[in-house]
Amino acid sequence: ASDTVIIAAAAVLAYFVRFGLLRHVGTQPEDEIVTYSRYAIPVLMAVPIMLLAMMWAGLYRPRRDQRFYREAWDILKAVIVGVALTIAAITFFAKVLLDGRDPSRLQYVIYAILVLTMLMVWRYGFRTIVRALRRRGWNLRHVLIIGTGRLGQVVCRTLERNTWTGIKPRGFVSHHASTSRTRCVDRPVLGGLDE
């Protein structure tokens, strides 16, 4: 939902930047009044195309264990492909959508820059906020680890060191039917599998 809002906002802002702030740059139609409905990038076409490009680039898979530069690279790929497909679709349907007119090429460049910048800022900011919340103990998932052996202890220590995952080990369940053990890695052992 947030990506949809950002892409739509970038398409709308591209029109206002091109024909508002940069109206004296490049050529502009002189025989008619420039209106949003006649010269803007159609939002209803740009949004689904860009969302499909983002899906193609793998931006809707979990990325908790990756650095942001990988996500930024995928955002860049998605924006390049999405803008290229948007240009192709608008050019193909220009007669129907815009009465044969084509949005300014500068508007496409502005749209690409805006959508790239806005998506990167949003995703980096969201990632930063979620990590900060998890470090403070919010937005956590509490888990029990099945198995009190070496592997279970390694899993517990790994989760403790990587708080950004949002997974907090609360205790253990023995992998045996029953157990007399009460503690493991300073956490309670709540019983065996039968219990």
Side-chain angles (χ1 to χ4, degrees):
S2 61
D3 289 343
T4 301
V5 170
I6 288 169
I7 295 164
V12 172
L13 280 173
Y15 168 80
F16 288 108
V17 169
R18 169 60 186 102
F19 294 109
L21 297 174
L22 302 175
R23 65 180 167 270
H24 301 297
V25 177
T27 59
Q28 197 161 308
E30 297 185 20
D31 58 336
E32 62 182 298
I33 298 171
V34 176
T35 62
Y36 180 83
S37 62
R38 299 178 114 173
Y39 285 93
I41 296 171
V43 173
L44 293 177
M45 182 174 279
V47 169
I49 290 172
M50 189 63 72
L51 290 174
L52 286 172
M54 291 175 71
M55 196 177 303
W56 165 80
L59 288 166
Y60 296 116
R61 286 183 294 207
R63 294 176 173 267
R64 291 184 192 143
D65 59 340
Q66 295 179 0
R67 301 268 183 215
F68 182 72
Y69 73 87
R70 290 183 187 215
E71 186 172 1
W73 173 248
D74 288 340
I75 292 171
L76 177 64
K77 287 190 306 189
V79 167
I80 290 169
V81 170
V83 170
L85 290 174
T86 301
I87 292 170
I90 290 172
T91 303
F92 185 76
F93 293 109
K95 185 111 173 120
V96 175
L97 293 172
L98 306 169
D99 295 328
R101 288 179 292 280
D102 196 23
S104 164
R105 300 293 176 211
L106 180 58
Q107 186 176 355
Y108 289 127
V109 172
I110 294 166
Y111 169 64
I113 291 169
L114 285 173
V115 78
L116 178 67
T117 304
M118 292 166 74
L119 284 171
M120 284 199 188
V121 167
W122 160 248
R123 285 181 172 246
Y124 183 78
F126 183 76
R127 183 184 280 232
T128 303
I129 289 168
V130 168
R131 283 189 178 184
L133 289 172
R134 287 182 176 159
R135 274 190 216 107
R136 288 172 177 76
W138 297 349
N139 191 24
L140 296 177
R141 287 171 290 176
H142 302 278
V143 298
L144 291 175
I145 298 170
I146 298 176
T148 55
R150 182 173 148 80
L151 181 59
Q153 293 171 23
V154 168
V155 168
C156 183
R157 288 189 185 109
T158 302
L159 291 172
E160 285 174 340
R161 280 193 308 267
N162 296 293
T163 57
W164 56 267
T165 62
I167 301 172
K168 185 173 180 72
R170 300 302 274 179
F172 288 87
V173 173
S174 175
H175 55 285
H176 299 293
S178 62
T179 184
S180 60
R181 193 170 184 178
T182 59
R183 307 275 310 159
C184 182
V185 193
D186 295 328
R187 293 204 167 33
V189 176
L190 303 176
L193 290 176
D194 285 350
E195 299 167 297

